mmCIF file of all heavy atoms in Angstrom:
data_model
loop_
_atom_site.group_PDB
_atom_site.id
_atom_site.type_symbol
_atom_site.label_atom_id
_atom_site.label_comp_id
_atom_site.label_asym_id
_atom_site.label_seq_id
_atom_site.Cartn_x
_atom_site.Cartn_y
_atom_site.Cartn_z
ATOM 1 N N THR A 43 21.528 -10.808 16.163
ATOM 2 C CA THR A 43 22.792 -10.309 15.613
ATOM 3 C C THR A 43 22.626 -8.883 15.130
ATOM 4 O O THR A 43 21.526 -8.436 14.824
ATOM 5 C CB THR A 43 23.270 -11.185 14.437
ATOM 6 O OG1 THR A 43 22.347 -11.063 13.350
ATOM 7 C CG2 THR A 43 23.376 -12.634 14.856
ATOM 8 N N GLU A 44 23.742 -8.175 15.065
ATOM 9 C CA GLU A 44 23.726 -6.826 14.524
ATOM 10 C C GLU A 44 23.611 -6.891 13.002
ATOM 11 O O GLU A 44 24.336 -7.648 12.365
ATOM 12 C CB GLU A 44 25.015 -6.079 14.913
ATOM 13 C CG GLU A 44 25.081 -5.683 16.371
ATOM 14 C CD GLU A 44 24.020 -4.676 16.747
ATOM 15 O OE1 GLU A 44 23.731 -3.771 15.920
ATOM 16 O OE2 GLU A 44 23.453 -4.791 17.843
ATOM 17 N N PRO A 45 22.680 -6.117 12.419
ATOM 18 C CA PRO A 45 22.563 -6.164 10.961
ATOM 19 C C PRO A 45 23.806 -5.610 10.279
ATOM 20 O O PRO A 45 24.369 -4.605 10.705
ATOM 21 C CB PRO A 45 21.345 -5.274 10.681
ATOM 22 C CG PRO A 45 21.226 -4.382 11.878
ATOM 23 C CD PRO A 45 21.739 -5.174 13.038
ATOM 24 N N ALA A 46 24.245 -6.296 9.243
ATOM 25 C CA ALA A 46 25.392 -5.819 8.477
ATOM 26 C C ALA A 46 24.924 -4.837 7.416
ATOM 27 O O ALA A 46 23.799 -4.915 6.930
ATOM 28 C CB ALA A 46 26.101 -7.005 7.813
ATOM 29 N N ALA A 47 25.782 -3.894 7.093
ATOM 30 C CA ALA A 47 25.447 -2.945 6.036
ATOM 31 C C ALA A 47 25.323 -3.710 4.710
ATOM 32 O O ALA A 47 26.194 -4.506 4.369
ATOM 33 C CB ALA A 47 26.534 -1.881 5.920
ATOM 34 N N PRO A 48 24.222 -3.504 3.980
ATOM 35 C CA PRO A 48 24.064 -4.261 2.730
ATOM 36 C C PRO A 48 25.135 -3.897 1.714
ATOM 37 O O PRO A 48 25.569 -2.744 1.632
ATOM 38 C CB PRO A 48 22.668 -3.831 2.241
ATOM 39 C CG PRO A 48 22.325 -2.600 2.998
ATOM 40 C CD PRO A 48 23.116 -2.604 4.250
ATOM 41 N N GLN A 49 25.601 -4.895 0.978
ATOM 42 C CA GLN A 49 26.610 -4.649 -0.048
ATOM 43 C C GLN A 49 26.008 -3.823 -1.175
ATOM 44 O O GLN A 49 24.853 -3.991 -1.547
ATOM 45 C CB GLN A 49 27.131 -5.982 -0.599
ATOM 46 C CG GLN A 49 27.921 -6.785 0.407
ATOM 47 C CD GLN A 49 28.525 -8.022 -0.219
ATOM 48 O OE1 GLN A 49 28.223 -8.358 -1.366
ATOM 49 N NE2 GLN A 49 29.381 -8.700 0.516
ATOM 50 N N ARG A 50 26.836 -2.933 -1.722
ATOM 51 C CA ARG A 50 26.399 -2.059 -2.800
ATOM 52 C C ARG A 50 26.652 -2.707 -4.165
ATOM 53 O O ARG A 50 27.398 -3.672 -4.280
ATOM 54 C CB ARG A 50 27.158 -0.724 -2.746
ATOM 55 C CG ARG A 50 26.853 0.136 -1.527
ATOM 56 C CD ARG A 50 27.722 1.390 -1.554
ATOM 57 N NE ARG A 50 27.294 2.369 -0.573
ATOM 58 C CZ ARG A 50 27.669 2.377 0.698
ATOM 59 N NH1 ARG A 50 28.484 1.421 1.135
ATOM 60 N NH2 ARG A 50 27.243 3.304 1.534
ATOM 61 N N VAL A 51 26.004 -2.118 -5.173
ATOM 62 C CA VAL A 51 26.338 -2.475 -6.543
ATOM 63 C C VAL A 51 27.700 -1.872 -6.861
ATOM 64 O O VAL A 51 27.895 -0.660 -6.745
ATOM 65 C CB VAL A 51 25.283 -1.937 -7.532
ATOM 66 C CG1 VAL A 51 25.733 -2.181 -8.969
ATOM 67 C CG2 VAL A 51 23.925 -2.574 -7.277
ATOM 68 N N ARG A 52 28.649 -2.738 -7.237
ATOM 69 C CA ARG A 52 29.996 -2.254 -7.579
ATOM 70 C C ARG A 52 30.445 -2.933 -8.869
ATOM 71 O O ARG A 52 30.288 -4.139 -9.043
ATOM 72 C CB ARG A 52 30.994 -2.551 -6.456
ATOM 73 C CG ARG A 52 30.675 -1.833 -5.150
ATOM 74 C CD ARG A 52 31.828 -1.952 -4.161
ATOM 75 N NE ARG A 52 31.517 -1.342 -2.875
ATOM 76 C CZ ARG A 52 31.602 -0.046 -2.620
ATOM 77 N NH1 ARG A 52 31.984 0.783 -3.575
ATOM 78 N NH2 ARG A 52 31.309 0.433 -1.422
ATOM 79 N N GLY A 53 31.016 -2.145 -9.748
ATOM 80 C CA GLY A 53 31.501 -2.691 -11.004
ATOM 81 C C GLY A 53 30.364 -3.078 -11.924
ATOM 82 O O GLY A 53 29.280 -2.481 -11.897
ATOM 83 N N VAL A 54 30.599 -4.102 -12.724
ATOM 84 C CA VAL A 54 29.599 -4.582 -13.679
ATOM 85 C C VAL A 54 29.123 -5.953 -13.227
ATOM 86 O O VAL A 54 29.922 -6.884 -13.085
ATOM 87 C CB VAL A 54 30.177 -4.648 -15.106
ATOM 88 C CG1 VAL A 54 29.128 -5.192 -16.067
ATOM 89 C CG2 VAL A 54 30.650 -3.275 -15.558
ATOM 90 N N LEU A 55 27.831 -6.075 -12.994
ATOM 91 C CA LEU A 55 27.225 -7.321 -12.548
ATOM 92 C C LEU A 55 26.223 -7.790 -13.588
ATOM 93 O O LEU A 55 25.783 -7.012 -14.453
ATOM 94 C CB LEU A 55 26.519 -7.119 -11.203
ATOM 95 C CG LEU A 55 27.356 -6.521 -10.072
ATOM 96 C CD1 LEU A 55 26.482 -6.272 -8.851
ATOM 97 C CD2 LEU A 55 28.513 -7.443 -9.719
ATOM 98 N N GLU A 56 25.815 -9.058 -13.482
ATOM 99 C CA GLU A 56 24.842 -9.607 -14.410
ATOM 100 C C GLU A 56 23.770 -10.373 -13.640
ATOM 101 O O GLU A 56 24.013 -10.881 -12.539
ATOM 102 C CB GLU A 56 25.518 -10.535 -15.423
ATOM 103 C CG GLU A 56 26.486 -9.817 -16.357
ATOM 104 C CD GLU A 56 27.022 -10.733 -17.447
ATOM 105 O OE1 GLU A 56 26.738 -11.950 -17.374
ATOM 106 O OE2 GLU A 56 27.694 -10.232 -18.359
ATOM 107 N N ALA A 57 22.587 -10.431 -14.232
ATOM 108 C CA ALA A 57 21.486 -11.199 -13.652
ATOM 109 C C ALA A 57 20.490 -11.531 -14.747
ATOM 110 O O ALA A 57 20.429 -10.853 -15.779
ATOM 111 C CB ALA A 57 20.799 -10.400 -12.544
ATOM 112 N N ASP A 58 19.718 -12.592 -14.518
ATOM 113 C CA ASP A 58 18.624 -12.904 -15.453
ATOM 114 C C ASP A 58 17.500 -11.880 -15.304
ATOM 115 O O ASP A 58 16.996 -11.333 -16.280
ATOM 116 C CB ASP A 58 18.073 -14.305 -15.185
ATOM 117 C CG ASP A 58 19.064 -15.397 -15.551
ATOM 118 O OD1 ASP A 58 19.866 -15.185 -16.489
ATOM 119 O OD2 ASP A 58 19.044 -16.452 -14.893
ATOM 120 N N VAL A 59 17.086 -11.661 -14.050
ATOM 121 C CA VAL A 59 16.049 -10.670 -13.752
ATOM 122 C C VAL A 59 16.528 -9.818 -12.589
ATOM 123 O O VAL A 59 16.954 -10.355 -11.555
ATOM 124 C CB VAL A 59 14.706 -11.327 -13.386
ATOM 125 C CG1 VAL A 59 13.634 -10.244 -13.201
ATOM 126 C CG2 VAL A 59 14.266 -12.329 -14.436
ATOM 127 N N THR A 60 16.466 -8.516 -12.754
ATOM 128 C CA THR A 60 16.832 -7.604 -11.675
ATOM 129 C C THR A 60 15.586 -6.854 -11.232
ATOM 130 O O THR A 60 14.890 -6.233 -12.056
ATOM 131 C CB THR A 60 17.899 -6.601 -12.124
ATOM 132 O OG1 THR A 60 19.049 -7.325 -12.571
ATOM 133 C CG2 THR A 60 18.294 -5.684 -10.976
ATOM 134 N N VAL A 61 15.295 -6.914 -9.943
ATOM 135 C CA VAL A 61 14.167 -6.202 -9.356
ATOM 136 C C VAL A 61 14.729 -5.004 -8.603
ATOM 137 O O VAL A 61 15.551 -5.169 -7.694
ATOM 138 C CB VAL A 61 13.366 -7.108 -8.399
ATOM 139 C CG1 VAL A 61 12.210 -6.330 -7.782
ATOM 140 C CG2 VAL A 61 12.861 -8.345 -9.129
ATOM 141 N N VAL A 62 14.310 -3.821 -8.982
ATOM 142 C CA VAL A 62 14.748 -2.603 -8.307
ATOM 143 C C VAL A 62 13.648 -2.196 -7.335
ATOM 144 O O VAL A 62 12.534 -1.861 -7.740
ATOM 145 C CB VAL A 62 15.029 -1.469 -9.305
ATOM 146 C CG1 VAL A 62 15.483 -0.218 -8.565
ATOM 147 C CG2 VAL A 62 16.086 -1.901 -10.318
ATOM 148 N N GLY A 63 13.976 -2.238 -6.054
ATOM 149 C CA GLY A 63 13.003 -1.935 -5.009
ATOM 150 C C GLY A 63 12.690 -3.168 -4.187
ATOM 151 O O GLY A 63 12.166 -4.156 -4.707
ATOM 152 N N ALA A 64 13.042 -3.125 -2.890
ATOM 153 C CA ALA A 64 12.851 -4.285 -2.020
ATOM 154 C C ALA A 64 11.714 -4.050 -1.037
ATOM 155 O O ALA A 64 11.779 -4.449 0.121
ATOM 156 C CB ALA A 64 14.146 -4.611 -1.277
ATOM 157 N N GLY A 65 10.653 -3.385 -1.513
ATOM 158 C CA GLY A 65 9.417 -3.318 -0.746
ATOM 159 C C GLY A 65 8.547 -4.525 -1.065
ATOM 160 O O GLY A 65 8.992 -5.500 -1.680
ATOM 161 N N LEU A 66 7.284 -4.461 -0.665
ATOM 162 C CA LEU A 66 6.407 -5.616 -0.854
ATOM 163 C C LEU A 66 6.261 -6.004 -2.318
ATOM 164 O O LEU A 66 6.280 -7.186 -2.661
ATOM 165 C CB LEU A 66 5.023 -5.332 -0.257
ATOM 166 C CG LEU A 66 4.836 -5.670 1.218
ATOM 167 C CD1 LEU A 66 3.450 -5.255 1.674
ATOM 168 C CD2 LEU A 66 5.048 -7.157 1.471
ATOM 169 N N ALA A 67 6.113 -5.020 -3.218
ATOM 170 C CA ALA A 67 5.941 -5.345 -4.634
ATOM 171 C C ALA A 67 7.188 -6.019 -5.191
ATOM 172 O O ALA A 67 7.107 -7.035 -5.893
ATOM 173 C CB ALA A 67 5.602 -4.095 -5.436
ATOM 174 N N GLY A 68 8.354 -5.453 -4.886
ATOM 175 C CA GLY A 68 9.591 -6.040 -5.379
ATOM 176 C C GLY A 68 9.872 -7.388 -4.773
ATOM 177 O O GLY A 68 10.283 -8.335 -5.471
ATOM 178 N N LEU A 69 9.660 -7.529 -3.461
ATOM 179 C CA LEU A 69 9.907 -8.811 -2.805
ATOM 180 C C LEU A 69 8.942 -9.883 -3.291
ATOM 181 O O LEU A 69 9.326 -11.039 -3.496
ATOM 182 C CB LEU A 69 9.799 -8.644 -1.289
ATOM 183 C CG LEU A 69 10.886 -7.793 -0.627
ATOM 184 C CD1 LEU A 69 10.534 -7.527 0.829
ATOM 185 C CD2 LEU A 69 12.255 -8.471 -0.741
ATOM 186 N N SER A 70 7.673 -9.502 -3.490
ATOM 187 C CA SER A 70 6.710 -10.461 -4.005
ATOM 188 C C SER A 70 7.093 -10.907 -5.415
ATOM 189 O O SER A 70 6.998 -12.093 -5.748
ATOM 190 C CB SER A 70 5.306 -9.853 -4.020
ATOM 191 O OG SER A 70 4.379 -10.717 -4.642
ATOM 192 N N THR A 71 7.548 -9.971 -6.241
ATOM 193 C CA THR A 71 7.982 -10.333 -7.591
ATOM 194 C C THR A 71 9.134 -11.329 -7.540
ATOM 195 O O THR A 71 9.126 -12.362 -8.225
ATOM 196 C CB THR A 71 8.411 -9.073 -8.364
ATOM 197 O OG1 THR A 71 7.324 -8.155 -8.423
ATOM 198 C CG2 THR A 71 8.855 -9.423 -9.767
ATOM 199 N N ALA A 72 10.150 -11.015 -6.724
ATOM 200 C CA ALA A 72 11.310 -11.907 -6.626
ATOM 201 C C ALA A 72 10.902 -13.278 -6.081
ATOM 202 O O ALA A 72 11.360 -14.321 -6.576
ATOM 203 C CB ALA A 72 12.368 -11.265 -5.727
ATOM 204 N N TYR A 73 10.055 -13.292 -5.078
ATOM 205 C CA TYR A 73 9.617 -14.549 -4.467
ATOM 206 C C TYR A 73 8.898 -15.425 -5.496
ATOM 207 O O TYR A 73 9.186 -16.627 -5.633
ATOM 208 C CB TYR A 73 8.698 -14.235 -3.286
ATOM 209 C CG TYR A 73 8.092 -15.444 -2.613
ATOM 210 C CD1 TYR A 73 8.787 -16.123 -1.619
ATOM 211 C CD2 TYR A 73 6.832 -15.891 -2.967
ATOM 212 C CE1 TYR A 73 8.238 -17.234 -0.996
ATOM 213 C CE2 TYR A 73 6.266 -17.006 -2.350
ATOM 214 C CZ TYR A 73 6.972 -17.668 -1.364
ATOM 215 O OH TYR A 73 6.419 -18.766 -0.746
ATOM 216 N N HIS A 74 7.964 -14.828 -6.228
ATOM 217 C CA HIS A 74 7.191 -15.617 -7.182
ATOM 218 C C HIS A 74 8.026 -16.008 -8.408
ATOM 219 O O HIS A 74 7.807 -17.069 -8.996
ATOM 220 C CB HIS A 74 5.935 -14.855 -7.589
ATOM 221 C CG HIS A 74 4.894 -14.823 -6.513
ATOM 222 N ND1 HIS A 74 4.722 -13.749 -5.670
ATOM 223 C CD2 HIS A 74 3.995 -15.759 -6.111
ATOM 224 C CE1 HIS A 74 3.747 -14.012 -4.810
ATOM 225 N NE2 HIS A 74 3.290 -15.224 -5.059
ATOM 226 N N LEU A 75 9.005 -15.165 -8.782
ATOM 227 C CA LEU A 75 9.921 -15.569 -9.852
ATOM 228 C C LEU A 75 10.710 -16.808 -9.447
ATOM 229 O O LEU A 75 10.846 -17.767 -10.224
ATOM 230 C CB LEU A 75 10.883 -14.430 -10.176
ATOM 231 C CG LEU A 75 10.356 -13.279 -11.034
ATOM 232 C CD1 LEU A 75 11.337 -12.114 -11.023
ATOM 233 C CD2 LEU A 75 10.113 -13.749 -12.473
ATOM 234 N N ALA A 76 11.247 -16.793 -8.235
ATOM 235 C CA ALA A 76 12.040 -17.920 -7.760
ATOM 236 C C ALA A 76 11.189 -19.179 -7.615
ATOM 237 O O ALA A 76 11.680 -20.301 -7.819
ATOM 238 C CB ALA A 76 12.707 -17.570 -6.434
ATOM 239 N N GLU A 77 9.923 -19.008 -7.262
ATOM 240 C CA GLU A 77 9.034 -20.164 -7.157
ATOM 241 C C GLU A 77 8.707 -20.745 -8.525
ATOM 242 O O GLU A 77 8.691 -21.956 -8.708
ATOM 243 C CB GLU A 77 7.727 -19.758 -6.450
ATOM 244 C CG GLU A 77 7.788 -19.801 -4.943
ATOM 245 C CD GLU A 77 6.465 -20.268 -4.357
ATOM 246 O OE1 GLU A 77 5.408 -19.906 -4.903
ATOM 247 O OE2 GLU A 77 6.504 -21.007 -3.357
ATOM 248 N N ARG A 78 8.436 -19.868 -9.490
ATOM 249 C CA ARG A 78 8.019 -20.336 -10.812
ATOM 250 C C ARG A 78 9.185 -20.910 -11.613
ATOM 251 O O ARG A 78 9.006 -21.840 -12.394
ATOM 252 C CB ARG A 78 7.367 -19.179 -11.592
ATOM 253 C CG ARG A 78 6.009 -18.756 -11.047
ATOM 254 C CD ARG A 78 5.412 -17.630 -11.897
ATOM 255 N NE ARG A 78 5.160 -18.086 -13.265
ATOM 256 C CZ ARG A 78 4.044 -18.702 -13.675
ATOM 257 N NH1 ARG A 78 3.071 -18.940 -12.807
ATOM 258 N NH2 ARG A 78 3.894 -19.069 -14.927
#
Side-chain angles (χ1 to χ4, degrees):
T43 66
E44 287 295 322
Q49 293 186 351
R50 294 177 169 85
V51 174
R52 297 191 183 279
V54 178
L55 306 175
E56 294 186 353
D58 291 329
V59 185
T60 302
V61 179
V62 180
L66 272 177
L69 292 171
S70 174
T71 302
Y73 176 85
H74 287 99
L75 282 169
E77 275 216 323
R78 290 182 63 86

